[in-house]
Amino acid sequence: MAQGNTITSFPEAYGSPWEIPIAVWGDVRTTGYLPYYRAAGGQYSLGGTPTGVSYVIPSVISGGGAYDSTSDGSHNYLMDYGTGTVYLTARDFANPVALFNTGAYDMGITYDRANNSLWISGWGNTTVTDYSLSGSVITSFSTGHDANGALALD
């Protein structure tokens, strides 16, 4: 698969060696990826300037962690790699609510505002699936390889 050019990048500023998952919607918001580390992530401008507001991953996320996040502008969504559960949270990653379970070790997640759905990529399989917010499969396709990680939709 061809790789694009990096438009911008910036260093992590909130002390976590792994500021993931990442949700972008008018700004960039990160957390630490494992709940038992309680490592912080935080808010950045789109240009990479830290705002000083920090976040931690919801404690409901399993020891498998969350490697990606997405936002619809009002909420964030996280994919729990260890359990397959998709969570809806507030924009500050608080108040997690389980939406549905994919039943797989899935990793990437992105919000599709065209149909108010979530695209989720499989790590241990070759599938990228579009789910309704209630967990119904809308469509899916195979990438032809496994280890499909973070997703983004522009």
Side-chain angles (χ1 to χ4, degrees), residues 48-145:
T49 304
T51 66
V53 177
S54 63
Y55 310 112
V56 295
I57 197 163
S59 61
V60 296
I61 299 296
S62 74
Y67 293 86
D68 199 8
S69 181
T70 190
S71 183
D72 64 10
S74 297
H75 305 95
N76 292 340
Y77 301 87
L78 297 159
M79 179 76 230
D80 186 324
Y81 178 76
T83 67
T85 303
V86 176
Y87 289 95
L88 167 122
T89 70
R91 286 284 284 137
D92 63 359
F93 297 99
N95 306 316
V97 175
L99 294 180
F100 58 92
N101 190 292
T102 66
Y105 291 109
D106 290 327
M107 188 172 284
I109 185 169
T110 193
Y111 177 76
D112 186 342
R113 67 181 177 175
N115 64 353
N116 194 36
S117 67
L118 297 168
W119 288 90
I120 296 175
S121 64
W123 183 253
N125 60 65
T126 64
T127 306
V128 176
T129 304
D130 186 14
Y131 290 92
S132 71
L133 295 182
S134 64
S136 298
V137 173
I138 297 169
T139 190
S140 66
F141 65 90
S142 174
T143 62
H145 58 84

Side-chain angles (χ1 to χ4, degrees), residues 2-8:
Q3 298 294 314
N5 295 322
T6 300
I7 296 171
T8 189

Side-chain angles (χ1 to χ4, degrees), residues 7-30:
I7 296 171
T8 189
S9 65
F10 45 88
E12 298 167 337
Y14 292 93
S16 173
W18 294 47
E19 279 190 40
I20 52 177
I22 301 169
V24 179
W25 191 286
D27 60 14
V28 179
R29 298 179 186 206
T30 70

